[in-house]
Amino acid sequence: MNRPDADFIIIGSGPAGVSAAFPLVAAGRRVLMLDAGNDAGSQEESRSARVLGADLEALQVDDGSSPKLQTPVSRGILERFRGNSGITGSGFTPIGSLARGGLSNIWGAQISFLDAEDIADWPIDIASLQRSYQRISERIGISRNSNSTRSAHGEPVLPLGATAAHVLHRNTVTKPANGSFRLFPAINAILSEARPGRAACDLSGDCLYGCPTGAIYNSRQDVLQLRKSPHFRLLDNMRAVSLRRDAAWTVGTADGSSFSAPRIILAAGVLGTAALLANHLPIEEQGLRLLNSPTLAIPLLSPARLLRSSTPTHSLAQLGLSLRYGDRPSDYVTGAIYEVGSLPAQSFINRMPLGRRAGRAAFETIGGSLLVATIYYPGDQSRSYIHRDATTGKSLTIRGGFAEGFDIRVDALKKALRREWKRLGLIQLPGASLAEPGIDAHFAGTLPMGAPGPFGTSADGELNLHSGLHIVDGSIIPDLSSKYITMTIMANADRIAHRLAETEAKPAS
Amino acid sequence: MAPRLIITGSTGYIGARLAAMARERGFDVVELGRRPEAKWRIGDEPATSDLEGAAAVIHLAHSWATGAETAEENNINISGTVTLAKAAKAAGVRRFVFASSTSSRREALNVYGRTKFRIEQHLATSPAAPIVRIARIGLVYGGPRTAMFGLMAKLSVLSPLLPMIGLSRKVQPIHLDEVAAGLLALATDENQPPQTFVLAQERPISFAAWLRILRRSQGKGKLHFIPIPLAAALFACRMTKLVPLVPTVDPERVLGLAGAAPMESGESLKLLKLNLADPMTVLSQELGQKSEEPSRSEAGALLRYLGSTPTEAQLQRLSEGLRREGLAPLGLSPTLIKHPRLLALYEPPANRTQHRLAKALYLADLASEPERQRGQKAGLFDAILTIGTDILLLPLRALLARRYR
């Protein structure tokens, strides 16, 4: 047999892939990363090209998706996955990326940390996850939004939008209607201080169009770092399409190449990983369960802020919130509050019953006093399954839906929220909408850690019955909390890679 | 009574425009030639009654039926023209204007040029000489896209890379309207000296430059050439006759291009008081009219309606966007283009995303996005007025919006 191509092959260059690569490379293991994308997609294009696309892609009529997904950057990042993954949706929008950096190219950059209660059912202890949180935070750089230039803890901060600041102030001076409502400045993976190769946020508000300064974390930046190591090798345009087990694991790619290693680390993203494993899993009639967070968007008006000027800031989440609105463990939502004035006007005007000229006038007049809250439910409020096409046995379809009784809980939540909006001096505007399942790409739980049987994985992400095949992306997160999950996926990948570096595949001599 | 003008070849590219212009200017135009009721064909002895009382004959007809090297006495163009001129003189017509060509030379490469030259010579020695005016016409462009002009306009946009002969040859374009005006002046102005006139741009340009002008004026980009030898071009021309769906190119025309030589036109233009327009400007208007121009002016109107002062980049982007979405031309009336504020009467709500005008306005909004200043605010009063008007006009607009659906 030929010598293996590496000690570990990592499939995918997204946040999970790079987070797994760093500890292994640091421990001297030979790592080969297969990236379906390539280096294309410079960050230094003109604003015109970023906003409208190099080929004017933006001048295609609105497809009704969220502002984030309408930008040419997003179209470019998502398009190839749509075309090549062979995954379709029914009542579900499958989101994935084959570009370098994966979905971190278009993420919300919001950071949440899970606590001991959140991971009570996981086969790991909170301390190990917290150590990983710490390492990831240091690597990617995070900031809190604040009124002051530096927080009490000496953490770097970014200016808070004026309307968000006003609401936050109201929250501290009025007594909460519900004891479990929390509102706080958002933590984002945005740099407030420059680092090598990345400038600090310049507050130009172009976040949705692909941050030109690199202030928003993107795993492409990590790939650049990794490439400096002699133990790390990256191959471009290598879309993994098959996995085969002989003496070692062999990965086949779309162009016919194959690479082998004793251990494979799957970091292709929940949907990408499911597609790669489809032949190895007994996906029967019922399908493979997929957790995703139902997402509710609520427009809010702050009358006190009408006609006031806004603070220049970034256009990602300004505030974070959480609310327990019922007795069941999953009656818990978290959310983010955005300032509408810093988002692209078109997607709001497109939904107005006014003419565009009047819509523009309205947006410019009151946009600064508008907020949008996006509320995330826990993944168990969704009911989505990945099915295999019975005839071809190849292509996958995801059928999406909500958990039973979800509509009742939506009403309970809306009621609880309305009380809080009132207290914060906010008027909830008509037009609240529940997104189609999948559209926000908060996926998890297809191959949960600690579960027995063919769909479970070990605490180290090793797929049951397939030794040497480790999964580090969201697939193995056993339950999808309502909190933003990316940071946890990265931390978990880091944790697993540290364990692998300690115990497995000693350095090649 | 209106002066009478006889035009032969009045169904041709130049003839049709000349006849129309002459009628516009109040002449009583008699068309001699290939009309269903025509009594005369080139070569025929015209009836004296047809010619009598005419102020002038303008002879444009040319028979292409004559073989390549037909002997002089058998070339119907030569004998026919002389016959017609003599008959005109005999009937008391005061001026006989013969449409010749700038390719008219004794040693011209193509039969057409040599024939024209021989006709000129025969006319000069014929009894009709005192009433003859010769107009050597350059490369005529503009108007309907037919004849040589139509062919060149088509060729120039066929592909950015064009195999072509005679690229360095100089041509002297002149607009169809200017030719018609010049011919009309020659036919009616008694003070013009009996000499040969040249109707063509004073400054010759290379044929390559000319094709580039044609391409640019149709909104297309650069044009590159593969120079090909004359023999290959002639062979290709013969092949075009065999291939269906490809414009047929007469080798005669290719030879005409290959043999063109500049002629001094300054004095003629001065005498005829012709001030020739710049071909690029005229063509951009004429050729662009159908595709680019309405889309651009509509783009401008949409942008101005949304309150931006359109920049070149925005106009280009939006025109392109409208075209790609199949919205160009939208068919906005000239009044709306001139006064975009009136669009408020026709604009549907922005959430009617299937409405053409709503779509177009969405694109306009997007096209201006990269240049938009953040945090820029409309005055409150203006905003209230705009929104208030929008709501008040809603029923009316619901009705009028159909027009651009």
Side-chain angles (χ1 to χ4, degrees):
Chain A
M1 206 198 101
N2 291 337
R3 187 168 177 261
D5 293 285
D7 297 325
F8 293 90
I9 293 176
I10 298 180
I11 298 174
S13 62
V18 298
S19 298
F22 275 107
L24 293 171
V25 167
R29 306 298 195 275
R30 289 185 305 135
V31 171
L32 169 64
M33 183 177 275
L34 300 181
D35 185 1
N38 55 37
D39 250 337
S42 154
Q43 300 277 319
E44 291 165 55
E45 285 163 338
S46 66
R47 181 157 202 272
S48 172
R50 278 187 292 117
V51 172
L52 298 174
D55 199 25
L56 301 180
E57 299 92 291
L59 296 187
Q60 288 167 0
V61 174
D62 184 11
D63 59 10
S65 53
S66 73
K68 190 162 80 189
L69 298 184
Q70 271 171 39
T71 62
V73 183
S74 309
R75 288 183 205 268
I77 298 298
L78 303 176
E79 208 87 317
R80 271 192 66 217
F81 181 84
R82 270 186 203 136
N84 285 328
S85 69
I87 299 178
T88 51
S90 160
F92 189 97
T93 309
I95 297 268
S97 173
L98 295 175
R100 170 155 314 160
L103 290 177
S104 71
N105 284 294
I106 51 166
W107 72 317
Q110 214 180 346
I111 299 295
S112 288
F113 302 101
L114 302 190
D115 53 33
E117 197 187 327
D118 292 322
I119 67 159
D121 293 338
W122 298 22
I124 62 169
D125 64 283
I126 189 71
S128 63
L129 192 61
Q130 278 165 344
R131 281 195 296 277
S132 291
Y133 277 142
Q134 185 60 33
R135 284 192 287 263
I136 301 289
S137 304
E138 280 163 15
R139 190 177 89 229
I140 70 178
I142 58 179
S143 298
R144 192 175 282 267
N145 295 331
S146 174
N147 282 325
S148 60
T149 51
R150 192 160 276 274
S151 78
H153 308 95
E155 289 173 327
V157 295
L158 285 164
L160 191 60
T163 304
H166 170 78
V167 171
L168 192 61
H169 176 71
R170 284 280 304 226
N171 186 52
T172 55
V173 297
T174 56
K175 189 176 148 34
N178 180 324
S180 61
F181 181 83
R182 280 184 63 232
L183 191 70
F184 48 88
I187 310 169
N188 294 301
I190 307 179
L191 293 186
S192 60
E193 284 161 4
R195 290 182 167 205
R198 296 171 64 190
C201 176
D202 61 3
L203 308 181
S204 66
D206 270 356
C207 308
L208 298 196
Y209 300 114
C211 180
T213 64
I216 303 176
Y217 171 74
N218 182 321
S219 64
R220 279 166 175 267
Q221 298 149 356
D222 280 342
V223 174
L224 289 179
Q225 286 301 313
L226 284 166
R227 289 180 97 165
K228 291 177 184 166
S229 164
H231 302 298
F232 181 83
R233 192 153 65 104
L234 173 75
L235 290 178
D236 280 337
N237 301 316
M238 287 294 172
R239 181 164 66 88
V241 292
S242 70
L243 287 171
R244 203 178 67 242
R245 171 89 207 239
D246 299 315
W249 281 95
T250 302
V251 183
T253 64
D255 73 348
S257 317
S258 61
F259 305 92
S260 63
R263 286 181 188 267
I264 303 287
I265 295 180
L266 288 180
V270 174
L271 304 187
T273 294
L276 254 176
L277 290 177
N279 286 331
H280 298 269
L281 297 171
I283 303 178
E284 308 292 343
E285 192 61 23
Q286 205 206 348
L288 184 60
R289 186 173 185 202
L290 170 71
L291 300 173
N292 70 283
S293 292
T295 312
L296 187 66
I298 302 171
L300 300 162
L301 173 72
S302 170
R305 290 288 310 162
L306 269 175
L307 309 178
R308 305 278 196 84
S309 55
S310 55
T311 311
T313 179
H314 60 81
S315 50
L316 296 181
Q318 294 292 317
L319 300 174
L321 67 85
S322 66
L323 173 67
R324 178 165 292 288
Y325 63 96
D327 303 329
R328 294 158 27 107
S330 63
D331 291 344
Y332 179 76
V333 293
T334 64
I337 292 182
Y338 296 80
E339 291 207 341
V340 168
S342 62
L343 295 173
Q346 289 80 18
S347 18
F348 294 90
I349 300 171
N350 289 353
R351 285 154 185 78
M352 288 189 192
L354 293 173
R356 186 159 296 272
R357 191 177 143 84
R360 273 278 292 271
F363 186 83
E364 274 158 19
T365 314
I366 64 165
S369 55
L370 288 178
L371 300 170
V372 172
T374 54
I375 307 287
Y376 291 88
Y377 290 86
D380 65 359
Q381 296 303 303
S382 67
R383 185 130 349 274
S384 303
Y385 287 89
I386 303 178
H387 297 270
R388 286 192 95 178
D389 189 312
T391 50
T392 66
K394 272 193 167 170
S395 54
L396 300 178
T397 302
I398 307 174
R399 301 215 177 90
F402 301 102
E404 238 169 89
F406 177 69
D407 46 350
I408 301 167
R409 288 192 282 284
V410 168
D411 289 340
L413 171 72
K414 280 183 178 167
K415 217 168 127 191
L417 279 172
R418 264 198 291 272
R419 283 203 301 270
E420 301 298 337
W421 303 145
K422 199 174 162 195
R423 182 177 65 85
L424 297 172
L426 296 170
I427 298 171
Q428 184 176 327
L429 300 176
S433 62
L434 192 63
E436 178 169 75
I439 197 92
D440 266 272
H442 288 232
F443 304 141
T446 44
L447 306 160
M449 284 191 287
F455 299 114
T457 46
S458 73
D460 294 343
E462 192 169 30
L463 185 61
N464 294 347
L465 316 175
H466 294 88
S467 75
L469 193 59
H470 294 261
I471 303 163
V472 299
D473 56 32
S475 311
I476 55 167
I477 304 293
D479 43 51
L480 184 57
S481 120
S482 64
K483 293 176 181 172
Y484 272 72
I485 200 68
T486 308
M487 184 67 175
T488 301
I489 291 173
M490 293 173 83
N492 195 44
D494 171 88
R495 182 189 65 78
I496 292 173
H498 268 276
R499 297 253 307 167
L500 288 174
E502 284 162 18
T503 59
E504 305 292 338
K506 296 295 177 215
S509 53
Chain B
M1 211 180 96
R4 203 150 163 237
L5 215 54
I6 294 166
I7 301 175
T8 72
S10 61
T11 52
Y13 171 52
I14 299 175
R17 178 61 60 101
L18 174 67
M21 185 185 277
R23 287 206 175 90
E24 253 174 46
R25 298 200 182 166
F27 288 92
D28 173 19
V29 176
V30 175
E31 300 178 53
L32 273 191
R34 282 191 276 183
R35 295 167 70 82
E37 73 278 19
K39 296 162 276 186
W40 177 87
R41 293 169 66 95
I42 188 159
D44 292 354
E45 181 79 42
T48 314
S49 59
D50 281 335
L51 300 175
E52 267 174 350
V57 172
I58 304 178
H59 177 48
L60 298 169
H62 182 90
S63 169
W64 294 91
T66 322
E69 292 301 340
T70 315
E72 231 161 78
E73 52 277 23
N74 294 333
N75 189 318
I76 207 158
N77 286 303
I78 301 170
S79 54
T81 303
V82 174
T83 307
L84 183 64
K86 281 199 283 197
K89 175 82 168 47
V93 176
R94 287 210 292 278
R95 280 169 296 279
F96 182 86
V97 181
F98 170 58
S100 182
S101 158
T102 46
S103 64
S104 157
R105 275 178 299 128
R106 184 189 299 280
E107 68 288 6
L109 278 181
N110 59 340
V111 180
Y112 182 74
R114 293 197 293 274
T115 309
K116 288 287 184 190
F117 184 77
R118 277 141 75 196
I119 297 171
E120 283 180 28
Q121 295 224 306
H122 280 270
L123 283 173
T125 54
S126 81
I131 65 162
V132 169
R133 305 274 189 284
I134 288 163
R136 287 180 174 169
I137 302 170
L139 186 64
V140 187
Y141 70 90
R145 295 169 70 171
T146 57
M148 187 69 169
F149 168 63
L151 180 71
M152 287 187 299
K154 268 182 225 145
L155 277 178
S156 67
V157 291
L158 217 54
S159 121
L161 192 65
L162 214 57
M164 189 56 70
I165 54 134
L167 290 169
S168 55
R169 283 287 166 189
K170 300 289 184 187
V171 293
Q172 292 165 281
I174 180 166
H175 191 269
L176 182 59
D177 285 340
E178 294 161 347
V179 172
L183 290 173
L184 212 52
L186 281 176
T188 56
D189 191 345
E190 297 185 2
N191 302 322
Q192 297 302 343
Q195 64 174 70
T196 299
F197 292 80
V198 178
L199 298 180
Q201 286 276 352
E202 265 189 273
R203 278 186 50 195
I205 55 171
S206 73
F207 184 55
W210 172 241
L211 287 174
R212 287 198 176 102
I213 289 177
L214 281 173
R215 185 172 170 85
R216 261 210 326 275
S217 60
Q218 292 175 87
K220 294 282 171 72
K222 286 199 172 123
L223 186 60
H224 304 277
F225 298 99
I226 308 169
I228 47 172
L230 184 57
L234 290 174
F235 176 74
C237 290
R238 299 205 165 95
M239 295 314 290
T240 60
K241 290 188 180 153
L242 304 176
V243 184
L245 301 176
V246 166
T248 307
V249 185
D250 189 336
E252 257 298 293
R253 301 196 147 149
V254 173
L255 285 168
L257 282 174
M263 287 186 174
E264 211 295 311
S265 63
E267 203 203 344
S268 306
L269 298 177
K270 210 153 68 186
L271 284 170
L272 295 171
K273 298 191 184 66
L274 281 179
N275 195 3
L276 301 195
D278 170 40
M280 183 66 205
T281 317
V282 182
L283 277 175
S284 302
Q285 276 169 9
E286 282 189 12
L287 294 177
Q289 205 95 54
K290 278 181 201 77
S291 50
E292 296 295 315
E293 209 36 52
S295 150
R296 260 180 92 81
S297 54
E298 282 178 352
L302 296 172
L303 287 164
R304 276 180 288 141
Y305 173 64
L306 292 181
S308 78
T309 313
T311 64
E312 187 54 31
Q314 289 172 349
L315 282 172
Q316 256 174 28
R317 266 182 224 141
L318 182 53
S319 305
E320 176 70 7
L322 291 170
R323 198 179 55 71
R324 281 197 202 173
E325 290 295 322
L327 296 171
L330 206 53
L332 296 183
S333 75
T335 321
L336 283 178
I337 288 173
K338 215 169 161 193
H339 306 285
R341 278 190 160 257
L342 292 176
L343 272 171
L345 292 173
Y346 296 89
E347 191 198 354
N351 57 11
R352 300 243 326 256
T353 50
Q354 288 312 303
H355 192 285
R356 287 166 61 79
L357 183 55
K359 267 192 205 173
L361 283 165
Y362 169 48
L363 296 189
D365 203 15
L366 259 180
S368 62
E369 175 71 35
E371 285 81 16
R372 197 169 299 150
Q373 296 293 313
R374 293 219 159 258
Q376 176 193 354
K377 273 193 174 164
L380 179 61
F381 181 73
D382 277 351
I384 291 173
L385 196 69
T386 309
I387 298 164
T389 314
D390 198 82
I391 293 166
L392 283 176
L393 287 177
L394 200 65
L396 179 64
R397 289 160 47 203
L399 216 64
L400 291 176
R402 287 167 188 219
R403 183 159 168 196
Y404 296 107
R405 191 168 50 187

